[in-house]
Amino acid sequence: MLGDDGTVHPAPRTHTVDESVPAHVEQTLTEYLAAKQSTMASLTPELADALDSLVEFVLRGGKRIRPTFAWWGWRGAGGDPDAHAVLRAVSGLELIQACALVHDDLMDASAVRRGRPTVHVTFEALHRERGWLGSADRFGMAAAILLGDIALAWADDMFYSSGLTANRLAAASEPWQAMRSEMLAGQYLDILTQVEGDESPEAALRVARMKTAAYTVERPLQMGATLAGADPELVEQLREFGADIGVAFQLRDDLLGVFGDTEVTGKPAGDDLREGKRTLLVALGLRRATPAGADVLRSCLGRDLTAADVQRAREVLVESGAVAEVERRIDSLTSSAMRALAAADLAEPASDRLAELAVAATRRTR
């Protein structure tokens, strides 16, 4: 919160982090971003629009899944429930996520995120509204690239200035650095798969593992457990759990990208089809559908679609058995993850909370 002298002070916390990890992450991010915004805005007033947009984007209703998994990795390995330096460190994962989303929306030409215009669309509109020179599209694209980069830089700043001891920072640096590289490499693999037109389920699963599973669940769990000094066996068990839940999370996302309710997901129905994404759902549909059904799916990939087009694609995916197979794989991955979790010797209540998170991540509607 803001003091009378203009300094940002941490707001008092009356509950332990365990009681509501996402709420504590939200509060921590709000405090941190206010301080960063104040510092950068003091450089020149022209940064105000950009910084306002980035901060609003970060704080706009995310589920805070990554820091929550990291926190329970920390707690499961015996970490202190009131370790606010750890909370600040893992909250930085949301800024890595912001970088990924801003850039992903640009690469996919998505117009809407969480029910609001995406960053590049917002800055295209700002360019037109103010009558600036040059191309509005190119300005929007450039702004999104740079704001995503700022989010990634702020993530590093938040992690390294979190107040962790040097030993803990050193221990967590390996998963922290790995998850950034894997996330960016996974995004490249995603666009490469699209332009190559690779329709194999194997390619879709490679993208799911690298782009989503590693930095959404597996690496955050590793980061939290490593911060607490977990032994290698426990870290490996948590990573096994996290890898399977992370892929299942992405497969649920693939289903929502085609069948989700726009009012709930905040994105237009069928957006993954419009973007030409060869998800596992689409890959299985193409492999299992009749030749006519496969033609319908291919005709829907990478082009603007009407509601009727989306409905035809949905029918092919259901009739081909692709939807049922993706659901079966989600169930199988969740079951194998739960076995890994059961084998792990975790401090309570981490085991129960991680099991609840696994179900929430793989059965969600948005």
Side-chain angles (χ1 to χ4, degrees):
M1 62 185 179
L2 200 63
D4 294 338
D5 60 355
T7 302
V8 176
H9 302 286
R13 294 181 172 89
T14 57
H15 303 287
T16 65
V17 178
D18 286 0
E19 293 178 22
S20 180
V21 180
H24 281 78
V25 169
E26 192 82 11
Q27 183 174 335
T28 301
L29 282 169
T30 300
E31 293 164 2
Y32 180 78
L33 291 173
K36 294 296 283 189
Q37 189 173 16
S38 176
T39 299
M40 288 195 68
S42 67
L43 300 175
T44 174
E46 283 78 11
L47 288 172
D49 289 327
L51 297 175
D52 287 347
S53 179
L54 178 57
V55 170
E56 190 273 335
F57 182 86
V58 174
L59 297 178
R60 189 198 303 164
K63 294 181 282 293
R64 313 309 181 203
I65 289 171
R66 291 155 187 84
T68 301
F69 273 112
W71 179 258
W72 287 111
W74 158 259
R75 292 286 286 116
D80 181 353
D82 291 310
H84 292 294
V86 172
L87 176 65
R88 285 190 291 275
V90 303
S91 294
L93 293 168
E94 284 299 296
L95 291 165
I96 297 180
Q97 166 72 343
C99 167
L101 294 180
V102 171
H103 287 171
D104 204 41
D105 287 341
L106 174 62
M107 290 184 288
D108 293 339
S110 297
V112 176
R113 166 74 63 179
R114 296 170 181 165
R116 299 282 297 278
T118 50
V119 170
H120 65 280
V121 170
T122 296
F123 280 87
E124 287 171 18
L126 183 67
H127 184 285
R128 294 188 181 100
E129 174 191 316
R130 297 189 179 177
W132 288 337
L133 301 176
S135 164
D137 290 350
R138 288 185 63 82
F139 177 73
M141 176 182 70
I145 291 170
L146 293 168
L147 287 174
D149 289 348
I150 288 173
L152 190 59
W154 284 2
D156 261 6
D157 292 348
M158 192 170 192
F159 175 68
Y160 287 107
S161 67
S162 61
L164 292 172
T165 65
N167 286 343
R168 281 185 171 160
L169 279 175
S173 288
E174 190 269 325
W176 177 264
Q177 292 166 5
M179 76 178 76
R180 293 176 310 164
S181 298
E182 289 161 355
M183 178 269 290
L184 294 169
Q187 285 196 305
Y188 175 75
L189 192 61
D190 188 16
I191 62 171
L192 181 65
T193 300
Q194 291 179 53
V195 298
E196 288 181 336
D198 192 334
E199 296 176 350
S200 69
E202 294 76 18
L205 282 171
R206 282 196 300 273
V207 172
R209 288 192 183 100
M210 185 170 286
K211 182 181 176 183
T212 302
Y215 99 101
T216 299
V217 188
E218 180 187 355
R219 292 296 191 181
L221 280 169
Q222 180 189 4
M223 177 182 168
T226 302
L227 280 170
D231 63 63
E233 182 181 6
L234 180 57
V235 170
E236 189 56 36
Q237 288 166 330
L238 286 171
R239 289 189 65 182
E240 183 180 344
F241 165 80
D244 284 348
I245 290 300
V247 174
F249 175 91
Q250 180 59 55
L251 298 188
R252 177 62 60 199
D253 206 54
D254 295 345
L255 287 167
L256 291 173
V258 178
F259 293 91
D261 182 342
T262 300
E263 294 298 317
V264 177
T265 64
K267 295 193 74 174
D271 239 21
D272 281 0
L273 298 172
R274 292 183 183 88
E275 293 160 10
K277 289 186 179 292
R278 269 70 173 178
T279 63
L280 181 67
L281 175 65
V282 169
L284 291 172
L286 290 169
R287 177 171 287 187
R288 293 170 173 235
T290 64
D295 286 344
V296 168
L297 280 181
R298 288 192 182 94
S299 73
C300 290
L301 292 173
R303 71 178 187 86
D304 196 20
L305 302 176
T306 65
D309 293 330
V310 173
Q311 184 56 34
R312 283 193 292 271
R314 287 171 168 173
E315 289 167 0
V316 170
L317 291 168
V318 172
E319 291 166 5
S320 67
V323 172
E325 174 60 15
V326 171
E327 290 284 7
R328 187 195 68 76
R329 293 195 186 206
I330 290 172
D331 288 343
S332 177
L333 286 162
T334 304
S335 294
S336 64
M338 292 303 195
R339 288 193 293 272
L341 183 63
D345 183 17
L346 294 171
E348 290 302 340
S351 184
D352 288 344
R353 296 296 177 86
L354 286 172
E356 292 166 4
L357 282 170
V359 171
T362 57
R363 295 296 174 192
R364 72 192 195 283
T365 58
R366 64 183 180 91

